[in-house]
Amino acid sequence: RRADCGWCKKDVKAAYHLAKNDLPVEPGPIYVHGHSMGSFLAAYIADSEDVAGYILESPITDVDSWTKRLVPRLLRPFVRFDIEESIKAQNNIDPVQRIEEPLLIIGGKQDEITPFKMAEELHEKSSSREKYLVKIENGNHNDLPTFDTYKRALTEFLGDK
């Protein structure tokens, strides 16, 4: 069976509803956070459910643009990705244009997997009136949480909310 987004979206919806309705504690504000391809799921929940805000870490604008940049231009005629259509259709541009909840986007300047340019594009297209873009100068794709800038950004964004 091929991977597709339907199962992931069902799982993330179930996790959201568990956190909101079924935990033995009073729920506080819910923020969703997605890293890299997980940014699609965070934006999906923020676009379809009641959240206090959302965080996109090393986000991807859309699958097509992302996969194209992974292959050097000269090799593109010879290299093809066989990507399930439901995955290929994923993008963060449409949801960020609709979502008005607070948004924090964090990316690393040295990220070669999801370039910071994608974070900048999402920030620019976001409809949120409260949106923040944090660039971690020496940050790569998977090491952002090790930087004080990252921790400070999360603390300031979440505050006493």
Side-chain angles (χ1 to χ4, degrees):
R1 178 175 191 175
R2 291 183 60 147
D4 70 48
C5 289
W7 291 104
C8 289
K9 287 181 175 181
K10 281 183 181 179
D11 287 350
V12 77
K13 279 251 192 203
Y16 169 85
H17 287 287
L18 175 76
K20 182 140 179 109
N21 304 315
D22 297 332
L23 293 179
V25 295
E26 187 65 32
I30 295 178
Y31 290 81
V32 291
H33 180 162
H35 173 254
S36 193
M37 288 191 74
S39 66
F40 294 129
L41 296 173
Y44 168 71
I45 289 297
D47 193 30
S48 61
E49 300 292 343
D50 180 28
V51 299
Y54 66 120
I55 302 163
L56 304 179
E57 179 182 335
S58 302
I60 299 169
T61 51
D62 63 281
V63 171
D64 192 48
S65 297
W66 179 57
T67 55
K68 276 184 183 166
R69 72 155 304 282
L70 292 175
V71 178
R73 187 175 303 279
L74 290 173
L75 295 178
R76 287 184 191 159
F78 309 105
V79 177
R80 299 270 187 251
F81 289 102
D82 183 22
I83 301 171
E84 174 66 35
E85 284 303 314
S86 69
I87 295 171
K88 195 175 191 177
Q90 295 306 297
N91 83 78
N92 278 324
I93 296 168
D94 294 340
V96 301
Q97 290 176 328
R98 290 189 297 266
I99 303 166
E100 295 182 357
E101 281 71 20
L103 168 63
L104 171 62
I105 301 176
I106 306 174
K109 186 176 179 184
Q110 306 304 317
D111 191 334
E112 294 181 358
I113 296 172
T114 56
F116 191 74
K117 182 173 85 173
M118 289 187 163
E120 291 173 318
E121 183 178 348
L122 291 170
H123 181 263
E124 178 184 307
K125 294 186 182 222
S126 169
S127 293
S128 176
R129 284 181 230 94
E130 187 182 337
K131 59 184 177 180
Y132 308 93
L133 177 63
V134 176
K135 181 193 304 186
I136 299 179
E137 289 298 324
N138 294 317
N140 288 301
H141 191 67
N142 290 315
D143 67 353
L144 301 182
T146 66
F147 290 89
D148 288 338
T149 306
Y150 177 93
K151 295 167 191 158
R152 236 183 346 269
L154 284 178
T155 300
E156 289 172 12
F157 182 71
L158 297 172
D160 292 328
K161 301 172 183 176

